[in-house]
Amino acid sequence: MVTTHLQQMIAALEREHALLRAALDAAAAREQEARANTQAAREERTLLLQMLQDMHHRYDRLLEAPRSAPSPRPSPEREPPVSRTAAPPGDPRGEMRRRIVALLQ
């Protein structure tokens, strides 16, 4: 009887030990995954900062670059041709289209 009771306690303790080991292994895996995610986030942040610095340098170089001469503007007395699909009167897009077409010509 005592032997059976001791064997049952040993079996229960072995099950508990197995459960605790599994929980510890799962916690270790989560910790490892968290470390990997943290490292990946650091690397991504470093890459994004480098990209930002590169773009900043490009914009600085563009600002420092000599500007080309402005393109000649159409004379105000020359009216741009009206397209066949003119906007209805009072449509602000029609005026904008005329200005864009004049600029492109």
Side-chain angles (χ1 to χ4, degrees), residues 36-68:
N37 288 342
T38 300
Q39 182 63 30
R42 282 186 187 131
E43 290 171 0
E44 183 180 21
R45 180 176 177 241
T46 301
L47 177 65
L48 290 172
L49 286 172
Q50 182 63 43
M51 291 170 63
L52 182 63
Q53 288 174 346
D54 290 346
M55 290 303 295
H56 183 71
H57 292 305
R58 286 181 192 159
Y59 286 129
D60 284 347
R61 284 196 308 266
L62 284 174
L63 289 173
E64 294 169 0
R67 294 183 182 202
S68 60

Side-chain angles (χ1 to χ4, degrees), residues 12-96:
L13 289 172
E14 286 174 345
R15 285 192 302 270
E16 185 178 359
H17 174 73
L19 289 173
L20 290 172
R21 175 58 62 187
L24 181 63
D25 291 343
R30 285 192 307 270
E31 182 181 359
Q32 182 63 29
E33 183 180 356
R35 284 183 181 162
N37 288 342
T38 300
Q39 182 63 30
R42 282 186 187 131
E43 290 171 0
E44 183 180 21
R45 180 176 177 241
T46 301
L47 177 65
L48 290 172
L49 286 172
Q50 182 63 43
M51 291 170 63
L52 182 63
Q53 288 174 346
D54 290 346
M55 290 303 295
H56 183 71
H57 292 305
R58 286 181 192 159
Y59 286 129
D60 284 347
R61 284 196 308 266
L62 284 174
L63 289 173
E64 294 169 0
R67 294 183 182 202
S68 60
S71 60
R73 294 186 177 214
S75 63
E77 49 286 331
R78 190 177 109 195
E79 188 66 29
V82 177
S83 68
R84 284 185 242 155
T85 58
D91 185 3
R93 293 183 303 164
E95 177 61 30
M96 181 60 71

